[in-house]
């Protein structure tokens, strides 16, 4: 699966999960071509979990079936053991 960080580019470059993909929430609809497999595992994250919840709902509405809201990126990173 993939981790999508939906924070702004500036927020992303101030710290992020290694190998995560930065697609700001405002750009997500225009970047869905990066996410060809609607059944792949997708974890969304942001600063606190609010924007990632919005991204999760947006992806579900577009037919993505395996989307998890990972919440805040730093908390998610510690859960992943990175």
């Amino acid at each position: 699966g993939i981790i999508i960080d939906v924070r702004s580019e500036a927020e992303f470059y101030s710290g992020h999960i290694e190998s995560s993909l930065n697609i700001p929430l405002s750009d997500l609809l225009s970047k869905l071509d990066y996410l060809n497999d609607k059944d792949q595992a997708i974890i969304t994250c942001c600063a606190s979990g609010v924007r990632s919840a919005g991204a999760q709902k947006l992806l579900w509405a577009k037919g993505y079936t395996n989307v998890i809201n990972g919440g805040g990126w730093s908390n998610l990173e510690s859960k992943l053991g990175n």
Side-chain angles (χ1 to χ4, degrees), residues 19-59:
S19 80
S20 61
L21 184 61
N22 180 223
I23 304 176
L25 183 56
S26 59
D27 297 340
L28 190 55
L29 276 177
S30 65
K31 306 270 178 149
L32 290 179
D33 53 326
Y34 288 108
L35 310 171
N36 295 326
D37 182 357
K38 290 193 173 190
D39 296 319
Q40 73 179 328
I42 299 172
I43 301 173
T44 60
C45 67
C46 62
S48 66
V50 175
R51 286 176 283 181
S52 57
Q56 179 188 40
K57 288 177 184 167
L58 189 152
L59 290 168

